[in-house]
Amino acid sequence: MASSPRSPQPQAPAQDELEISRQSRILAALSKKVIDLDELRMLAAQGVPDGAGVRSTVWKLLLCYLPNDRALWEQDLAKKRSQYEAFKDEFLSNTVGGNSTIRGPEGHSGGNAEHVQNGSLDRSEIAQDEHPLSLGKTKEWNQFVENSEMIEQVDRDVKRTHPDMHFFCGDSSFAKSNQESLKNILIIFAKLNAGIRYVQGMNEILAPLFFVFRNDPDYKNANFAEADSFFCFVELLSGLRDNFCQKLDNSAVGIQGTLSKLMQLLRKYDGELQHHLEIKTEVNPQFYAFRWITLLLTQEFNFADTIHIWDTLLSNPDGPQETLLRICCAMLILVRKRLLAGDFTSNLKLLQSYPPTNIGHLLYIANKLQ
């Protein structure tokens, strides 16, 4: 007797099909006259498909740069982009290269304008009581020195931003233009935020934003990537400000407090691993997680994976910190076997150079830690 044919088993949808489905759902969400931000956050948290060409728009919405009412987009963008040009006129005045008028945090020139040529102060423009060797007032000179040191630091850091990517580095006019935009944004931010100014590593946080916005398929949006990146960078850092404020380092809201929260989270979900790391092998989270947290994981994974992680980070309506801590905790749990078998030296080496991992699986584990 012939055996009856087996019933066909349901097949799991192919990855390409899932991508197309997510893409169509995100496009549908963006097409509404008034966008449901809760729906968009839920979809973006699962990852924005690269092929959709909409990540730029999605991130601007998640960072509240664009209002959820599409009818207001053109007006709001024009206003903010015009405001950024005013910031450039007020705070830069050719600060980066060429002659410049050094301005204070409020953007006002000193009583005796100082001009920069090739990074050095023109002696003829220094009033006698502002000369560093004089016994008079040195406020203007000190301000000039502070600004010069900040600009030099920004310039060095920007030139080191993703040296493996032609977008950021190289001799092409495109790369140089992108570097100039990064410098402009960071210098203006520093002058508008005197309490923090520029902290080394901010260039790494700015880079994903500018990359995504500069690669917007809409050429008009791409041309305004610098202005759009500035406002989104400000919004992103507003939720992370305390991590960059040195005066708060050892407080409950500073970076040490954030590192303590990470260990508390690890203790909750894997007490054995937390004890082995902190107590047995004495691997202080300061040694590895400081960079993870302050730079939003931009140095731990390749750039494409970082972009996908940021889809999830930016989707939290309360800011990225909570999601970031869950991802960091998941990173530790994913390598727990190696950590439990390791000593101080091997564990520190592993965590300071995190191994390649499946980002989808990492985010899945992090989501389970809620």
Side-chain angles (χ1 to χ4, degrees), residues 224-338:
F224 283 104
E226 184 179 321
D228 296 347
S229 298
F230 169 78
F231 287 104
C232 288
F233 178 70
V234 171
E235 177 62 30
L236 180 57
L237 255 62
S238 68
L240 305 166
R241 183 185 181 97
D242 293 342
N243 287 340
F244 289 96
C245 187
Q246 192 172 10
K247 293 179 181 178
L248 297 175
D249 276 357
N250 296 312
S251 71
V253 296
I255 185 61
Q256 292 301 330
T258 304
L259 292 171
S260 295
K261 290 177 184 176
L262 172 60
M263 288 299 99
Q264 291 168 15
L265 191 63
L266 181 62
R267 186 185 303 118
K268 177 180 179 180
Y269 290 101
D270 196 331
E272 181 186 6
L273 179 57
Q274 180 271 329
H275 183 270
H276 183 79
L277 276 178
E278 276 203 292
I279 309 301
K280 190 172 182 180
T281 61
E282 298 183 335
V283 179
N284 191 313
Q286 175 84 17
F287 301 152
Y288 60 91
F290 179 91
R291 186 179 71 182
W292 292 6
I293 291 168
T294 56
L295 300 187
L296 298 184
L297 299 173
T298 56
Q299 303 300 291
E300 316 314 317
F301 305 98
N302 67 50
F303 196 75
D305 285 343
T306 298
I307 296 294
H308 283 282
I309 289 172
W310 276 38
D311 287 337
T312 301
L313 283 180
L314 300 182
S315 299
N316 191 323
D318 298 321
Q321 185 122 296
E322 180 190 343
T323 304
L324 176 63
L325 289 178
R326 285 192 283 105
I327 294 174
C328 290
C329 187
M331 289 169 65
L332 294 169
I333 291 172
L334 282 179
V335 292
R336 76 181 305 272
K337 287 185 179 179
R338 294 174 63 179

Side-chain angles (χ1 to χ4, degrees), residues 6 38 49 62 66 96-97 105 160 170 191 210 213 248 251 263 265 323 354:
R6 291 181 179 179
D38 289 335
L62 295 177
L66 285 176
V96 184
R160 291 195 291 252
K191 292 190 175 186
F210 184 74
F213 298 162
L248 297 175
S251 71
M263 288 299 99
L265 191 63
T323 304
Y354 196 81

Side-chain angles (χ1 to χ4, degrees), residues 110-366:
N112 294 282
E114 295 134 359
H115 299 283
V116 179
Q117 290 186 341
N118 300 321
S120 61
L121 192 63
D122 187 342
R123 289 179 62 111
S124 65
E125 298 296 334
I126 307 175
Q128 179 60 33
D129 64 353
E130 292 165 3
H131 193 281
L133 299 181
S134 78
L135 298 178
K137 292 181 288 185
T138 60
K139 178 181 178 182
E140 304 299 332
W141 172 262
N142 290 338
Q143 185 172 297
F144 167 78
V145 172
E146 287 180 7
N147 275 294
S148 296
E149 290 174 348
M150 178 269 291
I151 292 168
E152 288 172 5
Q153 183 66 63
V154 168
D155 188 59
R156 285 195 297 270
D157 289 352
V158 165
K159 288 177 179 176
R160 291 195 291 252
T161 304
H162 296 286
D164 56 327
M165 294 178 63
H166 294 301
F167 179 90
F168 293 107
C169 286
D171 296 326
S172 70
S173 59
F174 181 63
K176 290 184 181 299
S177 172
N178 292 336
Q179 286 187 356
E180 197 74 11
S181 290
L182 295 181
K183 285 191 282 187
N184 290 344
I185 293 167
L186 294 169
I187 290 169
I188 293 172
F189 176 86
K191 292 190 175 186
L192 282 170
N193 294 272
I196 297 180
R197 292 179 64 79
Y198 172 74
V199 177
Q200 195 168 10
M202 285 183 176
N203 57 304
E204 302 293 352
I205 297 177
L206 174 59
L209 293 172
F210 184 74
F211 178 86
V212 167
F213 298 162
R214 188 70 181 88
N215 285 292
D216 192 310
D218 184 318
Y219 77 93
K220 183 178 181 181
N221 285 331
N223 288 339
F224 283 104
E226 184 179 321
D228 296 347
S229 298
F230 169 78
F231 287 104
C232 288
F233 178 70
V234 171
E235 177 62 30
L236 180 57
L237 255 62
S238 68
L240 305 166
R241 183 185 181 97
D242 293 342
N243 287 340
F244 289 96
C245 187
Q246 192 172 10
K247 293 179 181 178
L248 297 175
D249 276 357
N250 296 312
S251 71
V253 296
I255 185 61
Q256 292 301 330
T258 304
L259 292 171
S260 295
K261 290 177 184 176
L262 172 60
M263 288 299 99
Q264 291 168 15
L265 191 63
L266 181 62
R267 186 185 303 118
K268 177 180 179 180
Y269 290 101
D270 196 331
E272 181 186 6
L273 179 57
Q274 180 271 329
H275 183 270
H276 183 79
L277 276 178
E278 276 203 292
I279 309 301
K280 190 172 182 180
T281 61
E282 298 183 335
V283 179
N284 191 313
Q286 175 84 17
F287 301 152
Y288 60 91
F290 179 91
R291 186 179 71 182
W292 292 6
I293 291 168
T294 56
L295 300 187
L296 298 184
L297 299 173
T298 56
Q299 303 300 291
E300 316 314 317
F301 305 98
N302 67 50
F303 196 75
D305 285 343
T306 298
I307 296 294
H308 283 282
I309 289 172
W310 276 38
D311 287 337
T312 301
L313 283 180
L314 300 182
S315 299
N316 191 323
D318 298 321
Q321 185 122 296
E322 180 190 343
T323 304
L324 176 63
L325 289 178
R326 285 192 283 105
I327 294 174
C328 290
C329 187
M331 289 169 65
L332 294 169
I333 291 172
L334 282 179
V335 292
R336 76 181 305 272
K337 287 185 179 179
R338 294 174 63 179
L339 291 173
L340 289 173
D343 57 12
F344 174 86
T345 303
S346 62
N347 285 348
L348 188 60
K349 183 178 179 180
L350 174 65
L351 295 176
Q352 288 184 340
S353 183
Y354 196 81
T357 190
N358 182 306
I359 297 303
H361 184 58
L362 171 64
L363 295 176
Y364 172 80
I365 297 299

